[in-house]
Amino acid sequence: MKATIARGAGVPVLTNRTELGELAERNHILGRGGAGFPFARKIRALPDRGTVVVVNCCEGDPTSRKDATYVYNSPELVQSGVELVANALRARRTILAVHEGTEAENVLRSTAPVEVEILAVPPLYVASEATALINYLNVGTPRPAGSITLPTTAGAGGMPTLISNVETFVHVAWAARGELAPPARRAMLSTVTTSSGQQVITHRADTAVDTVLQAAAADHDGEWILVGGITGRWVHRDEVGPVLAGALAGLPSYVILDRNTCPIGQTARMLADIVRVSAGQCGPCIFGLPAIRKDMRDLVRGDLRAYKRLRRRLPVISGRGACAHPTGAVGLAASALEIVDHGHRCTARCDTAGVASRLARRLR
Amino acid sequence: MSLRAPLVQLRVDPISCQAHGLCAAEFPDGIELDEWGYPIIVAGPVGADQVRRAKRAASACPVLALRLSPVR
């Protein structure tokens, strides 16, 4: 049974996959889930009909609220983008994936047309990873399945599957109306988190990060910013401030660390959560992540050997899981080591300053 | 025109892998074990003179987690 979505009035139509691919290419549409994969290339890997379209509204990273904002504030816009893509691809199924029990699930259930399925995903961090969503659809197990077969080749039910972040579909909707500005001037949502709470700021991609941070948290004087989500990296406020927000890769999310919190200590605490949410399927993740978590804790106490263990272990763990989880954890840990390397003078009294100077002495 | 065998590389499925370590024992030049016993495949295509050993390493895996596939 063909599930053509009824077209809302006044919405432009793309009649086939080729037109959708051209629209995506002309407008430089990139995936908005954090990886920035060129959307046109994904479209072109699909057949002309019979695709399963999965719109990822899960937003598993707790530091990001842009997707929830689109869903709550602009459900028609989301729907418009989903319709355009599903109709152009002659989709056999269209699925909105969202974490169960969330407000986003409620909104989607009340606004989605009847032909669109809502998939309530268990509230697990790795469940929203692309292959995990497909695995959940297929066999009810929300765990990453590895990258041996691409979803575009065989995904949900063994069918070619397009799975992309909800904001990517929003960009398609804007592009079809001629409202998607060139990348530098594009409108974007950034999430800024501080100890007082979380705010979503709308701004252009050519806005400096400092302007975004000021708009959200004018009175916050923290030095260290976590950029890109929980598996992002630490950047000093002075270095990230002048950078254009749209020039940064990854999730548009910033966590301003309080001045009295050490970024190294915070990394150790975050690694504990990163360990806990692992799917626990791959050796480098099962064993490697707890090891680097312990090393990071020891490093906070000034253990030079822990620094060396981290330097040895991080490259070994990176890239060797079925999904990007261990790689992301390594990225976060590596950026904490960079802070130590640059001679961290901690306002929260960690002991890593000793590590940096002892390393410098050994290198001389 | 010379006939050249296609380039192949070893890839491990990290989900199936259970760290039996037989692969590394069979092909130590191409596979190292990390400190937890899991294989690290030496980067790059397998040298022509090593292909047979690489195939034996893949067959040695009790859970068939290792495969030799064409370089993409």
Side-chain angles (χ1 to χ4, degrees):
Chain A
M1 182 171 74
K2 199 160 97 155
T4 318
I5 298 169
R7 189 158 62 90
V11 176
V13 167
L14 298 164
T15 51
N16 57 40
R17 183 183 64 85
T18 307
E19 283 186 11
L20 177 59
E22 284 168 1
L23 183 85
E25 175 137 27
R26 249 188 347 263
N27 288 275
H28 311 284
I29 297 181
L30 302 178
R32 297 297 299 164
F37 191 82
F39 194 57
R41 212 190 297 173
K42 227 187 231 188
I43 296 298
R44 287 171 179 153
L46 296 164
D48 285 330
R49 52 181 58 248
T51 294
V52 174
V53 172
V54 179
V55 185
N56 197 345
C57 310
C58 289
E59 196 159 41
D61 194 300
T63 68
S64 177
R65 274 185 59 87
K66 66 177 177 76
D67 296 342
T69 303
Y70 285 116
V71 168
Y72 302 168
N73 293 357
S74 317
E76 298 86 7
L77 182 63
V78 168
Q79 208 44 55
S80 168
V82 172
E83 274 177 33
L84 281 164
V85 172
N87 289 338
L89 295 176
R90 314 258 199 285
R92 64 172 68 223
R93 284 172 79 186
T94 303
I95 300 166
L96 304 178
V98 63
H99 279 303
E100 68 192 4
T102 57
E103 262 306 300
E105 183 194 5
N106 292 339
V107 173
L108 288 173
R109 284 196 189 282
S110 57
T111 58
V114 67
E115 312 87 25
V116 172
E117 301 168 47
I118 308 289
L119 178 72
V121 180
L124 305 166
Y125 176 73
V126 288
S128 60
E129 188 266 351
T131 64
L133 270 182
I134 289 169
N135 210 5
Y136 184 59
L137 266 166
N138 287 344
V139 297
T141 316
R143 293 209 299 242
S147 57
I148 294 183
T149 309
L150 292 173
T152 46
T153 305
M159 296 290 119
T161 302
L162 171 73
I163 169 163
S164 282
N165 176 265
V166 59
E167 187 177 18
T168 313
F169 292 83
V170 167
H171 280 195
V172 171
W174 281 338
R177 299 171 205 203
E179 291 170 15
L180 192 64
R185 297 205 325 260
R186 205 154 280 184
M188 58 185 289
L189 302 180
S190 288
T191 316
V192 181
T193 307
T194 66
S195 47
S196 323
Q198 208 168 55
Q199 278 192 69
V200 177
I201 307 291
T202 311
H203 58 91
R204 278 172 38 155
D206 58 2
T207 304
V209 170
D210 222 10
T211 309
V212 177
L213 299 182
Q214 279 294 313
D219 57 343
H220 270 266
D221 60 352
E223 279 183 84
W224 292 101
I225 318 287
L226 180 67
V227 178
I230 63 172
T231 53
R233 62 192 213 290
W234 296 106
V235 189
H236 193 276
R237 190 156 186 171
D238 294 342
E239 282 169 36
V240 76
V243 175
L244 300 187
L248 289 166
L251 283 177
S253 119
Y254 307 94
V255 179
I256 306 179
L257 204 61
D258 189 88
R259 274 195 77 80
N260 297 320
T261 305
C262 172
I264 322 288
Q266 186 70 359
T267 302
R269 282 185 291 275
M270 289 172 66
L271 283 170
D273 286 329
I274 286 169
V275 165
R276 186 177 46 81
V277 300
S278 162
Q281 304 188 105
C282 307
C285 203
I286 299 169
F287 296 100
L289 296 196
I292 65 173
R293 183 232 163 173
K294 181 178 180 301
D295 290 340
M296 193 63 68
R297 261 195 354 225
D298 292 342
L299 176 62
V300 172
R301 296 189 199 118
D303 187 344
L304 182 61
R305 287 170 311 169
Y307 177 94
K308 291 184 175 161
R309 284 195 300 269
L310 281 164
R311 277 290 176 220
R312 181 172 49 79
R313 283 171 165 163
L314 293 183
V316 166
I317 294 166
S318 190
R320 289 175 59 231
C323 73
H325 193 59
T327 307
V330 163
L332 175 71
S335 86
L337 292 190
E338 295 299 302
I339 298 179
V340 173
D341 288 349
H342 288 117
H344 176 48
R345 259 174 296 173
C346 191
T347 48
R349 299 188 308 133
C350 75
D351 289 320
T352 58
V355 171
S357 54
R358 272 182 288 153
L359 279 172
R361 276 202 299 276
R362 296 235 176 147
L363 286 168
R364 248 180 249 137
Chain B
M1 187 165 87
S2 63
L3 289 169
R4 219 191 306 169
L7 289 178
V8 288
Q9 65 188 17
L10 282 169
R11 294 182 59 189
V12 62
D13 173 5
I15 297 176
S16 313
C17 176
Q18 302 296 312
H20 289 99
L22 300 177
C23 56
E26 191 56 58
F27 185 23
D29 286 344
I31 304 171
E32 290 172 32
L33 295 181
D34 69 16
E35 65 186 283
W36 304 289
Y38 289 84
I40 304 171
I41 314 292
V42 171
V46 176
D49 53 333
Q50 305 268 44
V51 170
R52 211 178 301 167
R53 200 177 289 263
K55 280 186 186 168
R56 283 207 300 271
S59 319
C61 179
V63 296
L64 299 178
L66 189 65
R67 60 172 79 176
L68 202 57
S69 46
V71 171
R72 282 196 197 152

